[in-house]
Amino acid sequence: MNKFLTPKFAANGILLITSATLVFHFLILFGIIPFENTWGGRLENREQMFVFESISILVTLLVMGAVGISSGYLNWKVKPIFLKVFFYILMVVFALNTLGNIFANNDFEKFFATPLTLILAIFCWRLAISTSYPLPS
């Protein structure tokens, strides 16, 4: 499995999925996609949507930054242990999100978001166990 699921493959996969997710969240924020299709169908008004989508965008950018650093796309110096811990935390968050998506109130999250969050959890696990982070100088 290490030959197929390399850290580079996992990093590029995360960046691809999170880039698409970022576009999706902006489309929701701008009202192009109804906010009822997100957050398990539990958002009640536009104010809640704005807060939740803003947080989603910020977290997505943070994830993309960490992946960029760990894969060497961003030349920022971070101690490898911080990346390792961050990716383990992300793995748990995405795994829990997968469970939440299974029980979502709408089919979009059940059948589309569930496999994506599972894949993200697996990719984060792969980056967490990686020993090839760029070293700070």
Side-chain angles (χ1 to χ4, degrees), residues 2 27 44 58 78 105:
N2 283 344
L27 291 173
E44 297 175 8
L58 290 173
V78 175
N105 292 335

Side-chain angles (χ1 to χ4, degrees), residues 71-92:
S71 60
Y73 292 133
L74 295 175
N75 194 19
W76 299 350
K77 303 304 178 192
V78 175
K79 292 190 183 223
I81 189 67
F82 293 130
L83 292 172
K84 184 176 285 298
V85 169
F86 185 69
F87 288 124
Y88 274 120
I89 291 169
L90 283 178
M91 177 194 70
V92 170

Side-chain angles (χ1 to χ4, degrees), residues 44-63:
E44 297 175 8
N45 55 49
R46 290 195 53 76
E47 290 77 25
Q48 280 184 337
M49 177 273 299
F50 183 78
V51 170
F52 278 69
E53 290 303 318
S54 297
I55 292 169
S56 293
I57 289 168
L58 290 173
V59 169
T60 301
L61 291 172
L62 178 66
V63 170

Side-chain angles (χ1 to χ4, degrees), residues 5-16:
L5 188 54
T6 64
K8 182 176 181 174
F9 183 86
N12 288 336
I14 292 171
L15 290 174
L16 178 68

